[in-house]
Amino acid sequence: MVAKAQARYVRVTPMKARRVVNEVRNKRVLEAADILRFAPHAVATDVNKVLNSAVANARVLAQNAGETFREEDLYVVEAFVDEGPTMKRFRPRAQGRAGQILKRTSHITLVVGTKDETGKEGR
């Protein structure tokens, strides 16, 4: 069983989000939740929400398929951050010039599954 969750248009740069997501890749779901709970980065709360959503999606898929669900057996199979659209803003600078400000967004995707499916799934 593989379940996926995605948060789109998160107002954080993809580079900052990837630092947090790289820490939880290929970890057990419970261990990943502990890592995210104590991570000092602000984006860790958003990644934790995506992780909880993926676990809830896995629970519903198991319930619909009539399978037993154990959260202890789940791993973070895939975890990646894609770049979303960039908002462009301008700020006044010296001598009448304008400096461009890029407000980047991210799409955070987490896929959870059991260990036996880890080898089959790949991005």
Side-chain angles (χ1 to χ4, degrees), residues 1-110:
M1 169 196 40
V2 175
K4 175 181 170 182
Q6 193 174 35
R8 301 189 67 201
Y9 307 107
V10 179
R11 263 292 289 125
V12 65
T13 65
M15 185 179 287
K16 290 178 183 178
R18 284 185 191 115
R19 286 194 314 194
V20 175
V21 168
N22 288 340
E23 294 297 318
V24 298
R25 189 177 292 121
N26 298 326
K27 298 263 193 320
R28 287 184 180 271
V29 166
L30 297 175
E31 183 183 353
D34 287 339
I35 290 170
L36 293 172
R37 186 177 309 126
F38 296 110
H41 311 287
V43 72
T45 57
D46 294 323
V47 176
N48 198 13
K49 286 181 184 181
V50 176
L51 181 66
N52 291 336
S53 179
V55 171
N57 291 343
R59 182 178 288 117
V60 169
L61 286 175
Q63 187 179 24
N64 290 344
E67 300 174 1
T68 59
F69 177 77
R70 292 189 45 171
E71 191 172 339
E72 300 84 29
D73 296 339
L74 290 179
Y75 284 81
V76 179
V77 178
E78 288 184 59
F80 54 92
V81 177
D82 294 325
E83 190 169 338
T86 301
M87 296 185 288
K88 296 181 173 104
R89 302 292 184 260
F90 292 95
R91 183 173 186 127
R93 306 308 285 175
Q95 297 181 356
R97 293 183 175 91
Q100 190 175 28
I101 306 290
L102 300 177
K103 296 185 177 233
R104 301 183 188 274
T105 60
S106 301
H107 302 318
I108 302 169
T109 305
L110 293 180

Side-chain angles (χ1 to χ4, degrees), residues 107-119:
H107 302 318
I108 302 169
T109 305
L110 293 180
V111 179
V112 298
T114 55
K115 191 65 168 176
D116 56 347
E117 293 159 351
T118 306

